[in-house]
Amino acid sequence: MNWPGGTPINTPVVMTLKLYDAATAGTLKWSEIQPSVTVTNGIFNVVLGSATPLPPLAFDAPYWLTVTINADGEMSLRQPVTA
């Protein structure tokens, strides 16, 4: 994760994570806000479902993850998630 200009960030951020059932458009299956995610040299680690429990997901079809940092829009491209 970098600031504009390519410098890795080193600061806590508000992170919104969402799972969709498609790479574009699709249906939102789950969402959570993690209010203080530590970012060090642009690297972060989160546990999905630690703020809002994940619903039962069959993983018989692909899911796609999006991330939003602070008040910015959703980052693209959505990232595929596997079991």
Side-chain angles (χ1 to χ4, degrees), residues 1-11 13 39-44 69 72 75:
M1 183 180 312
N2 299 323
W3 290 118
T7 304
I9 67 171
N10 291 289
T11 187
V13 297
V39 181
T40 305
N41 292 322
I43 298 171
F44 63 91
I69 303 300
D72 294 344
M75 293 182 185

Side-chain angles (χ1 to χ4, degrees), residues 29-73:
K29 296 295 187 179
W30 167 87
S31 177
E32 77 175 354
I33 297 172
Q34 294 197 11
S36 184
V37 175
T38 301
V39 181
T40 305
N41 292 322
I43 298 171
F44 63 91
N45 183 34
V46 297
V47 175
L48 300 180
S50 63
T52 302
L54 287 159
L57 298 170
F59 282 95
D60 57 351
Y63 295 100
W64 303 87
L65 178 70
T66 64
V67 177
T68 302
I69 303 300
N70 297 327
D72 294 344

Side-chain angles (χ1 to χ4, degrees), residues 10-33:
N10 291 289
T11 187
V13 297
V14 176
M15 192 172 289
T16 303
L17 304 136
K18 296 179 182 181
L19 283 179
Y20 290 89
D21 63 1
T24 59
T27 301
L28 177 65
K29 296 295 187 179
W30 167 87
S31 177
E32 77 175 354
I33 297 172

